Amino acid sequence: MVKNSAINSYRQAASSEAMYATPFRLVQMLMTGALDGMANARGSIIRNEHEARNNEIKWVISVIDALRGALDFEQGGEIANNLDMLYDYMIRRLFTANVEQDVDALDEVISLLKEIKTAWDAMPEAIQNSPNIKETVKKF
């Protein structure tokens, strides 16, 4: 119970930060939250905590679906299309991880999201601090 309380406190703090975050930071927070959720789900699989596993994976799916929904296909072109397909694949693998309690499927999604996040975190500072990423990207 203490663990759940700590997780809830973390999520509330992240929610408060989101009110003041740039669009770049919001995406960063979503990715970090999804990675944390998958780590929690992984532990739940190992400990046979079925309800916790299910809740965490469902939450992570909703986060990845939000990342997917934020893609701008007009501005993003091929990159947005590739990310859309990758996010779709990740969601399907998360369903597998949940139904089959498959740690390997979960680890695969963790690895994929870490790669995306690494690229996201490497964005130029002008984009990171911009209140309007689309307008800033047009300048590059």
Side-chain angles (χ1 to χ4, degrees), residues 11-22 25-26 28-29:
R11 287 185 177 159
Q12 285 176 336
S15 178
S16 296
E17 182 184 353
M19 292 188 325
Y20 305 101
T22 65
R25 180 68 182 129
L26 289 172
Q28 204 172 40
M29 290 171 65

Side-chain angles (χ1 to χ4, degrees), residues 63-83:
V63 171
I64 292 176
D65 198 42
L67 289 168
R68 189 176 181 199
L71 293 172
D72 184 338
F73 295 97
E74 187 176 309
Q75 295 289 320
E78 186 178 349
I79 293 173
N81 285 322
N82 290 342
L83 281 171

Side-chain angles (χ1 to χ4, degrees), residues 11 30-31 33-34 37-38 54-70 87 90-92 94-95 98 113:
R11 287 185 177 159
L30 286 171
M31 289 182 195
M38 286 186 283
N54 184 54
N55 290 340
E56 287 292 342
I57 291 177
K58 283 178 15 182
W59 184 81
V60 170
I61 288 170
S62 72
V63 171
I64 292 176
D65 198 42
L67 289 168
R68 189 176 181 199
Y87 287 147
M90 291 165 69
I91 289 169
R92 286 185 279 122
L94 287 168
F95 276 116
N98 199 13
L113 189 58

Side-chain angles (χ1 to χ4, degrees), residues 3-13:
K3 185 180 110 182
N4 287 339
S5 176
I7 291 169
N8 289 336
S9 294
Y10 165 79
R11 287 185 177 159
Q12 285 176 336

